[in-house]
Amino acid sequence: MTGEQPAQPSSPRDGEDITITAGLPKPDTLKLGTMMGVFIPCVQSILGIIYYIRFSWIVGMAGIGETLILVALCGTCTFLTSISLSAIATNGAMKGGGPYYLIGRALGPEVGVSIGLCFFLGNAVAGALYVLGAVETFLKAVPAAGIFRETITQVNGTKIAQPIESPSSHDLQIYGIVVTIMLCFIVFGGVKMINRVAPAFLIPVLFSLICIYLGVLLAKKDHPTEGITGLSFETLKENWSSDYQKTNDAGIPEPDGSVTWNFNSLVGLFFPAVTGIMAGSNRSSSLRDTQRSIPVGTLSATLSTSFMYLISVILFGAVATRDKLLTDRLLTATIAWPLPSLIKIGIILSTMGAALQSLTGAPRLLAAIANDDILPILNYFKVADGSEPHIATLFTALLCIGCVVIGNLDLITPTVTMFFLLCYSGVNLSCFLLDLLDAPSWRPRWKFHHWSLSLLGALLCIVIMFLISWSFTVVSLALASLIYKYVSIKGKAGDWGDGFKSAYFQLALRSLRSLGANQVHPKNWYPIPLVFCRPWGKLPENVPCHPKLADFANCMKKKGRGLTIFVSILDGDYHECAEDAKTACKQLSTYIEYKNCEGVAEIVVAPNMSEGFRGIVQTMGLGNLKPNIVVMRYPEIWRRENLTDIPATFVGIINDCIVANKAVVIVKGLDEWPNVYQKQYGTIDLYWIVRDGGLMLLLSQLLLTKESFESCKIQVFCIAEEDADAEGLKADVKKFLYDLRMQAEVFVITMKWDVQVDSGSPQDESLDAFTSANQRIVDYLTQMKATAEREGTPLMADGKPVIVNEKQVEKFLYTTLKLNSIILRYSRMAAVVLVSLPPPPLSHPAYFYMEYMDLLLENVPRILIVRGYRRDVVTLFT
């Protein structure tokens, strides 16, 4: 409305919300259609070196029958992946990065970066594969160009007697490095130079295919060659079955060869011949209509090339003998019409074109990963919009040269296969997850997809990986896992609206519905603490919560499992304080994360603390995931800092919890609460006065599971009337604890509640506190009476009339004094004390209740005051 156009974010950093449809690509001056933008690049990448100089050898080794199965298996894998790719690519606008962009936005930044980097390595290694294929073809066509000469004589029962020359590995390395450097100069020239050079590599592909098929039809008639039978049914029958043999590193059959071949290894050798289906998606920013061109162009290229491979299996198997198929690595050039040299030129140009595509796409993929700012280590490869990724191109060239130095085509192809299969499985899993979850934002224009096809495609990719080599599979998965772990630790957190987040959301909803609204069985009861972070007084600036509250909240969970809700209240008007609330919520969330506590932060704006808490205790949570324990700090400073409003607020919070049926745990001595590194010794003492559903017992057991308290022992003190059967009560409590699988030492303390304490009793150290509390209550009561007489009203306290029975007040004081004396007598050296929380008397002012509590807790350094609620949280039964 203001006319300002906000910049579209490119990465999930600094809290930005990124969706699969966010960030529309900028319009370019040149836009490509389906044919030139997707179909031709895919066909050019698919019909590479494997088809020209390895496919006929595969037919000779595996036979026609198994080669048809091989092609169908690999073709089905890429076809299902193309369907998944089409669905994801048509679910919104795409930016740079190709499959990395799709996988990252579907499975999250960690999975996207790990698979994206593996796909980058696959493209870089594939560039070396194509370069070596072009160099090998050149050296075969022009043997005199070889600096070194290596001659291998075939002695494996073949009828061909002449020696078979194979290019030297040193020649492959030298020429491969030179070609790689030449291609890198073209890539460094930018998109304009690539667009000028690339068309020169397109025509030879189509022309060479026509020459090969014409040569097959005219074989034996035009230029008869030994081993070439022409299309023959007898030859087809002879070549139908497999004949796996040992070969040397160059693929020439030898009885004592170092390489043993089988169907699984041929899958690894052939699969790069069907890769290249991502070539169109890699150009998404240059396409005129992404949502039409990618599915139509990719699927058309996949189906047409798969059909061509299937036809070529029959034609190659019927046109030459097995010996010729196994020994003539350039059979396509041998049978081509009119001149074999044309095919060799076409092979060289097409493979160099495929290498150019790899060296062009890989740097852009790496730059796209770097620009998302997930991994700081990749910042060197960042590029501005519209700039060329020169540093990424140089790095890709170095990787490619390193693979070229290996010099062995058959050793490189399994590596490429694993990385591509890993990427394809990621695409299939992305579509499977998005299709299965079916979120409202999942509306792909490509309708011909189903989650079962995507799952089948992902499983097929994994099966092919293990068929090829379980060791290569383990290494590639381990590499991806290491990258994933590294990204999880070192990467910047972000939210791309990925499918996992949607899965977590739907799983949470389903789990919440399955819990229902009924009470949870005690065996399945988990504490869900509502930690009240609002301080009694003031905290230092930018400190959202007491530093030890999260430490205590972690002590209430077994092995850290469970939800904790940290809540605070801002006084004021919601409309005026909304932004302050968001800032405070971020600070509180940072605190929770820093403390490694599984919890969420909530900030509520209310006119005052009492009204804010009353709203929280009524509405916080969903179904059975509502908080069941309110945790807060005891206001020890209320009298010292003369905070006169604290008593009414504190008592109101306790009463609200009682009405809402929430348990209460109040912590005194939070400043001295131990962290995970502070070992505690001594005992955990429980003063069990009223029935609380076993909450106090359960909390003591949870404390024992923490390293801080694991060396402590539990003591249970039962307070009984003087005339009660102490031994019988002790036996009953021991039996009860035994049935609860809890080990504790039991003590029964008998006392008379109606006997006053005199100066000779053993609780002399608490008498001063008792006398002071009694005097303050008398003074407060006198002031109340004076105010009531002056105004002509009944006794008022906390804004409501009260009835004060002075004898009852005195009895409360004596009772709390006796309990305090017992605690000091038996638990002076305890690591922590737990005592039942007395409910606030209805007719007493809040000020009186605070005096009772202060007297109860006098001189006890670390104590938990616990009140259960109207249900059991422990059970005797299995």
Side-chain angles (χ1 to χ4, degrees), residues 34 404 418 433 656 672 768 875:
T34 303
V404 167
M418 291 302 169
L433 185 63
D656 290 341
E672 291 79 28
D768 291 340
T875 179

Side-chain angles (χ1 to χ4, degrees), residues 692-712:
D692 62 355
L695 178 61
M696 193 184 299
L697 293 171
L698 184 62
L699 287 178
S700 65
Q701 293 296 316
L702 293 175
L703 288 176
L704 285 182
T705 63
K706 304 303 174 183
E707 293 184 9
S708 304
F709 295 95
E710 62 183 1
S711 299
C712 298

Side-chain angles (χ1 to χ4, degrees), residues 791-803:
E791 297 180 357
T793 60
L795 287 178
M796 300 288 292
D798 310 323
K800 59 184 178 181
V802 294
I803 301 175

Side-chain angles (χ1 to χ4, degrees), residues 288-309:
R288 184 182 303 114
D289 187 355
T290 305
Q291 301 188 25
R292 180 181 182 277
S293 298
I294 289 181
V296 174
T298 304
L299 287 169
S300 299
T302 303
L303 292 175
S304 59
T305 52
S306 298
F307 177 76
M308 190 204 69
Y309 278 128

Side-chain angles (χ1 to χ4, degrees), residues 535-538 633-643 646 671 854:
W536 307 107
K538 294 183 178 181
R633 183 187 183 190
Y634 183 74
E636 303 172 49
I637 63 171
W638 74 277
R639 183 183 296 110
R640 182 172 69 248
E641 298 188 10
N642 196 27
L643 301 176
I646 284 184
D671 295 334
D854 278 357

Side-chain angles (χ1 to χ4, degrees), residues 355-374:
L356 180 65
Q357 296 293 339
S358 296
L359 293 176
T360 302
R364 283 159 175 76
L365 175 60
L366 183 60
I369 299 174
N371 284 341
D372 275 339
D373 202 20
I374 300 298

Side-chain angles (χ1 to χ4, degrees), residues 758-802:
D758 55 34
S759 59
S761 298
Q763 299 89 356
D764 289 342
E765 58 186 300
S766 300
L767 286 177
D768 291 340
F770 169 77
T771 304
S772 299
N774 192 27
Q775 185 61 46
R776 285 191 296 269
I777 287 179
V778 171
D779 293 342
Y780 187 84
L781 184 59
T782 302
Q783 184 180 358
M784 287 174 54
K785 291 179 177 179
T787 303
E789 291 178 1
R790 184 172 61 254
E791 297 180 357
T793 60
L795 287 178
M796 300 288 292
D798 310 323
K800 59 184 178 181
V802 294

